Amino acid sequence: MVGLGWDVNAFDSGTQFDLDAAAFMAGEDGRCPTEKEFVFYGNLEHASGSVKHMGDNLTGEGDGDDEVLIIDFSKVPADIQKIAITVTIYDAQVRGQNFGQVSNAYVRVARMANENDMVGTEVLKFDLAEEFSVETALVVCEIYKNNGEWKFNAIGSGYQGGLAALCANFGVDVE
């Protein structure tokens, strides 16, 4: 499982923050073969059952993971070479929000004991530094295939333009 969590800084805009986790399942060329390889709050599960989004948290309130993606590597289609885990701020431009207003953001990878284990044994944790002042979308990490084995790479790459910018990067048509 991949868990994402965050808090909102005290000096925020006064408007509710809604951060959204997503997974882009990309082929050898770094792009999604079709729109169906984009797993997010509007497409909660890939047809193969390999990537599942466990639901949209609209506020980020509470402790622990705010949004969770579950990946079953045994079900990932052979043509998928990389799974990019991203976070965007919903309606960021309209609300005047960016990642500079978010604190304690992290991504963690955990091995689940079984399908009901929503905490798991943490394998890796990557804290997102508060260095993104104007960005509204982040590629947090990539899980990629190397010599037949799945590996993890922390990315922390920011984008302006929110979800549309990420979709364009991964070849997903948002129209």
Side-chain angles (χ1 to χ4, degrees):
M1 70 175 268
V2 178
L4 298 153
W6 67 90
D7 294 320
V8 176
N9 285 340
F11 58 86
D12 72 30
S13 63
T15 307
Q16 194 80 296
F17 271 71
D18 177 10
L19 272 61
D20 294 314
F24 290 89
M25 301 169 66
E28 196 75 40
D29 63 356
R31 298 171 73 77
C32 296
T34 73
E35 283 75 26
K36 293 181 170 98
E37 282 73 37
F38 172 39
V39 179
F40 68 115
Y41 62 85
N43 176 32
L44 293 175
E45 184 173 350
H46 186 262
S48 67
S50 61
V51 179
K52 295 179 185 175
H53 189 296
M54 301 308 292
D56 192 12
N57 179 323
L58 300 177
T59 65
E61 292 178 359
D63 293 332
D65 300 330
D66 295 311
E67 292 199 7
V68 173
L69 295 159
I70 296 177
I71 303 169
D72 183 341
F73 294 104
S74 69
K75 295 180 180 177
V76 176
D79 63 330
I80 300 301
Q81 297 297 307
K82 174 174 67 175
I83 302 170
I85 306 299
T86 66
V87 184
T88 56
I89 302 173
Y90 182 78
D91 238 359
Q93 189 170 357
V94 171
R95 297 178 182 185
Q97 298 171 336
N98 59 57
F99 279 107
Q101 299 164 317
V102 178
S103 62
N104 302 323
Y106 67 85
V107 59
R108 67 186 197 93
V109 177
R111 187 167 280 117
M112 299 167 65
N114 57 54
E115 64 184 36
N116 298 317
D117 179 10
M118 293 310 292
V119 175
T121 302
E122 197 168 285
V123 178
L124 303 161
K125 185 171 184 178
F126 177 62
D127 292 315
L128 296 169
E130 295 173 38
E131 59 196 48
F132 302 104
S133 59
V134 297
E135 290 84 354
T136 56
L138 295 174
V139 175
V140 180
C141 65
E142 293 177 345
I143 302 166
Y144 63 97
K145 204 182 293 183
N146 183 15
N147 294 327
E149 288 187 41
W150 288 98
K151 307 282 186 180
F152 176 90
N153 187 25
I155 301 291
S157 177
Y159 287 75
Q160 293 182 31
L163 185 58
L166 283 177
C167 286
N169 182 65
F170 289 103
V172 175
D173 185 8
V174 293
E175 298 291 327

